[in-house]
Amino acid sequence: MDIGIDLGTANVVITMGNKGIVLNEPSIVAFNTKTDEVIAVGNEAYKMLGKTPEHIIVVQPLSDGVISDHKMTEYMITAFIEKVTGKQLLMPSIVMCIPSSITDVESRAVIEAAKIAGARRVYLLEEPVAALLGAGVDISSPNGNMVVDIGGGTTDIAIASLNGIVSKASIKVAGNKLDKAIVKYVSNRYRILIGEKTAEIAKISAANVFDPDGTRSMIIKGRHLIRGLPECLEISDYDIYEATTDQINEIVSAVKSVFESTPPELVGDICQNGIYLTGGGAMINGMDKLISKEIGVKCHVADNPLSCVAKGAQAAFNYLDKLLDGFENVSLYKN
């Protein structure tokens, strides 16, 4: 019973055995402060976001790719594992995907959460390695491959060769920061307050971060900050571009920085192989074209970029004795 978990800031994706992806739900927990009970996890909790009375709190227990609320994270992981295993105590081996910049303390928190959820053995796999495996890249050859994994909380960039990471970077600028930037921009320019869910929909529907031309637009709804009344507003890809340009430039700068510590032979490989884009941010319109223009290397958006890391976690069970840098066999907890 091998379980792979992409423990993302925005979504948790789980694979199990040969079944492939068996769960893909938001990393959200709804908690009732009156009864001191968790009332919903995942999709059901997401529906409550921004719509709850005072005694119900909807929280994202992971922030910027790391655990910020240990108790809620443990409950969430346990609930999801029970959901996919049918509440059978099978004591599975679990591969947990983590950001490449995670600290030892943060790693221990992830291991502890998996242990409480019933794991027999825990492995930690860095997200860039998992993303490359999930994209179908052979990382065991002496050939450089580069991945830019733009998730919800972090953007992880790495160059891998011979089963290891040669150079890497991880920044806490990703999908959630883009959503907040859109909320701030609409508030400052139009004096309308919108929620982060609305901002996320606008980012998906109307964004063009490479060459905005005004052809992509959508109607958003919020509260006017001065009048205090409901308001509708049409925003275009120009608005999304202006709102997110600073954050997008940070991501591009992080990609450039990785090349500075990369051997020239591997840089030559990447010029030939291109850059793989994974994660939800890879689907933002124009992201691949922008990175390709700024870096001067072609970019490939992976098939099903949202599930690449989870597929890589599943594939990692075939590499437990081969992966070097970027894969840590923790094995701290056994029966």
Side-chain angles (χ1 to χ4, degrees), residues 84-270:
V84 300
T85 61
K87 297 186 178 181
Q88 301 174 34
L89 297 177
L90 301 174
M91 299 297 287
S93 293
I94 294 180
V95 166
M96 302 279 282
C97 297
I98 56 172
S100 55
S101 62
I102 197 170
T103 66
D104 290 341
V105 173
E106 292 163 347
S107 298
R108 183 59 62 94
V110 172
I111 298 163
E112 189 67 27
K115 174 197 172 189
I116 291 173
R120 172 174 53 89
R121 207 166 186 179
V122 183
Y123 301 88
L124 298 185
L125 175 63
E126 291 191 31
E127 287 176 358
V129 177
L132 283 171
L133 287 172
V137 177
D138 178 14
I139 64 171
S140 63
S141 64
N143 190 13
N145 289 285
M146 185 175 193
V147 62
V148 179
D149 179 42
I150 307 172
T154 60
T155 294
D156 292 286
I157 305 131
I159 294 175
S161 176
L162 292 170
N163 290 327
I165 292 178
V166 179
S167 57
K168 63 184 180 181
S170 179
I171 59 172
K172 294 181 178 181
V173 178
N176 290 353
K177 288 285 175 66
L178 296 177
D179 298 340
K180 291 176 181 176
I182 294 170
V183 171
K184 183 178 179 181
Y185 173 86
V186 173
S187 174
N188 290 342
R189 177 162 184 178
Y190 298 108
R191 295 293 184 266
I192 294 175
L193 182 63
I194 62 173
E196 289 185 20
K197 279 176 68 176
T198 300
E200 181 184 16
I201 294 169
K203 177 185 67 180
I204 295 169
S205 304
N208 185 348
V209 297
F210 176 65
D211 186 23
D213 54 12
T215 58
R216 297 169 68 93
S217 64
M218 70 169 288
I219 302 293
I220 60 172
K221 301 172 184 177
R223 185 181 79 241
H224 199 283
L225 289 172
I226 298 174
R227 294 194 298 271
L229 299 175
E231 188 89 12
C232 292
L233 170 73
E234 182 177 6
I235 61 170
S236 69
D237 49 13
Y238 286 121
D239 292 303
I240 306 298
Y241 178 82
E242 288 186 36
T244 61
T245 185
D246 290 343
Q247 288 73 27
I248 297 297
N249 287 338
E250 281 190 62
I251 293 173
V252 173
S253 296
V255 175
K256 291 179 179 177
S257 71
V258 172
F259 283 104
E260 296 174 2
S261 57
T262 301
E265 294 293 343
L266 289 181
V267 174
D269 290 341
I270 292 159

Side-chain angles (χ1 to χ4, degrees), residues 265-293:
E265 294 293 343
L266 289 181
V267 174
D269 290 341
I270 292 159
C271 288
Q272 180 178 351
N273 298 332
I275 299 171
Y276 293 89
L277 294 185
T278 63
M283 299 188 295
I284 296 175
N285 189 45
M287 182 66 78
D288 55 335
K289 295 177 182 177
L290 178 66
I291 293 177
S292 180
K293 177 189 174 185

